[in-house]
Amino acid sequence: MEIGIDSFASAMYGSNTLNSVDAMEQLLERIVKADEAGLAVYGIGEHHKKEFLDSAPAVILAAAAARTKNIRLTSAVTVLSTSDPVRVYQSFATLDLISKGRAELVVGRGSAIEAYPLFGFDLKDYDALFKEKLELLLKVREQEFVTWSGKFRPALENQPVYPRSSQEKLPVWLGVGGTPESFVRAGTLGLPLMVAVIGGETARFRPLIDLYRQAGHRAGFAPEQLKVGLHSPGYVAMSNEEAIADYYPGYAELWTKLGRERGWPPVTRTGFNALIASNGVLVVGGPEQVAAKLLKHSEALGGVDRFTFQMDNAGLNHEQLLRSIEIIGSKVIPLVNKNLG
């Protein structure tokens, strides 16, 4: 199992607001730390809000590529519905050249919708935009000269697209929430699947992942081509007690605030305890508990190829995040690998 981190480039830590320059520098330091600690992947999301600095993830990842050697660098996710697929490919192909073949893309429709009015798109076209633009992105990935036409973008007639990626085929994962059609789409296209699970119990996604694998099988893809990734909030400290003490206050504050915006109930300690229990989605605890939970999630979903922690959105400071990355690399990854045989 590949283990890594996803970040939304938050500029907020606890009660103090960092200036954007310092927040960005700290984010790059954490990516370097993850590379040195042996983590497999680091992802940067895409938001267009004041509290996040990730509106241009390829730029952040390119800066990280110049400072790192081994870690794979990916979006998490690129809101493809509001982007030009040609420019997306060019940006990440350029990142692939800078990183010497370490770039990846996770593309999706976006759970946050601020990009739609910002770039002049209508939410009523939410799925149609994504379907068309995914088709074009995959065609650009496959072909140097592209002929294509659609509804939401001017047609291309034998147009060359440069630069080409260092990797023969730039990896493109499909980021999904809970829509069955999205799982079937990923399987039919043979794309690796990144499942964002932020609440409830992870095992409830097994029927949807089964749909993905069944669709991939019907489309003629081998099981090893149908990779499953899991993205969930989490944090690791040296003990369960320390992890909870560090994580809970900021988590409760943030998710209660989000709940007011989206109609969720406020966070309670009882609810939090259910989420950090063995079947709950939050991967929070000491190394042994976290490793055991990752293995349990993998078993429940019929195998997980990649897991990414979403860590920097719970009021944790830079030093806590650096220490957690070190513990993931030195303790969690060896424990998971040992138990996977």
Side-chain angles (χ1 to χ4, degrees):
M1 183 191 300
E2 296 177 334
I3 296 177
I5 305 286
D6 284 336
S7 172
F8 294 164
S10 172
M12 308 289 288
Y13 296 102
S15 60
N16 298 315
T17 303
L18 293 174
N19 68 62
S20 296
V21 172
D22 290 343
M24 186 64 74
E25 179 59 29
Q26 289 183 1
L27 173 60
L28 293 171
E29 288 176 7
R30 293 196 295 275
I31 301 175
V32 170
K33 182 66 172 180
D35 183 46
E36 294 170 347
L39 275 66
V41 60
Y42 212 108
I44 301 294
E46 179 187 339
H47 296 82
H48 302 272
K49 296 181 178 181
K50 183 178 181 179
E51 61 265 35
F52 301 114
L53 301 174
D54 60 346
S55 63
V59 178
I60 298 173
L61 293 169
R67 302 188 185 194
T68 56
K69 296 179 180 180
N70 299 306
I71 197 165
R72 298 193 67 78
L73 301 165
T74 184
S75 59
V77 303
T78 293
V79 184
L80 189 60
S81 301
T82 61
S83 303
D84 183 333
V86 176
R87 293 295 284 163
V88 169
Y89 177 82
Q90 290 175 321
S91 295
F92 279 83
T94 303
L95 172 63
D96 205 44
L97 298 177
I98 295 170
S99 65
K100 299 180 174 62
R102 294 186 280 130
E104 297 187 3
L105 269 163
V106 181
V107 299
R109 296 176 296 183
S111 59
I113 60 173
E114 70 273 1
Y116 288 81
L118 180 63
F119 296 111
F121 293 98
D122 196 324
L123 272 171
K124 69 180 177 61
D125 299 319
Y126 186 73
D127 191 63
L129 280 163
F130 182 73
K131 182 178 180 181
E132 178 177 297
K133 293 188 175 190
L134 179 60
E135 174 193 304
L136 177 55
L137 176 65
L138 296 179
K139 193 158 194 174
V140 171
R141 180 179 72 158
E142 298 289 338
Q143 300 175 6
E144 183 176 341
F145 290 82
V146 180
T147 297
W148 175 91
S149 64
K151 176 181 177 182
F152 299 105
R153 187 199 188 281
L156 298 169
E157 183 63 39
N158 200 36
Q159 286 290 323
V161 178
Y162 302 114
R164 307 306 297 177
S165 62
S166 174
Q167 298 173 86
E168 183 177 353
K169 183 180 286 189
L170 185 68
V172 175
W173 296 62
L174 193 61
V176 298
T179 307
E181 293 79 9
S182 297
F183 287 79
V184 172
R185 176 186 287 145
T188 302
L189 294 171
L191 296 176
L193 185 74
M194 179 56 71
V195 187
V197 184
I198 61 173
E201 295 187 355
T202 300
R204 66 191 169 92
F205 280 80
R206 177 61 183 268
L208 295 170
I209 290 174
D210 287 344
L211 281 178
Y212 164 69
R213 291 177 171 133
Q214 291 160 9
H217 177 74
R218 288 194 300 270
F221 294 100
E224 59 270 18
Q225 294 176 274
L226 302 172
K227 294 182 179 179
V228 173
L230 179 62
H231 157 105
S232 291
Y235 173 70
V236 191
M238 286 305 296
S239 70
N240 296 336
E241 295 76 16
E242 181 186 358
I244 293 168
D246 288 350
Y247 191 81
Y248 177 71
Y251 174 85
E253 179 182 353
L254 173 68
W255 289 89
T256 297
K257 178 184 176 183
L258 288 175
R260 288 195 294 268
E261 298 172 0
R262 302 188 185 187
W264 304 334
V267 174
T268 65
R269 186 55 189 265
T270 300
F272 177 79
N273 289 342
L275 291 174
I276 64 172
S278 61
N279 293 323
V281 66
L282 294 183
V283 186
V284 175
E288 293 79 12
Q289 179 164 300
V290 165
K293 193 161 193 176
L294 292 182
L295 293 166
K296 185 164 188 176
H297 283 346
S298 182
E299 181 181 3
L301 299 178
V304 169
D305 300 283
R306 174 178 290 181
F307 178 83
T308 53
F309 289 87
Q310 183 186 349
M311 280 204 306
D312 64 355
N313 64 343
L316 298 163
N317 62 43
H318 182 51
E319 288 70 28
Q320 289 171 318
L321 292 167
L322 286 174
R323 186 169 65 249
S324 190
I325 289 168
E326 174 60 35
I327 295 169
I328 291 168
S330 64
K331 297 187 179 298
V332 175
I333 290 176
L335 283 169
V336 171
N337 288 341
K338 178 182 178 180
N339 283 281
L340 287 175

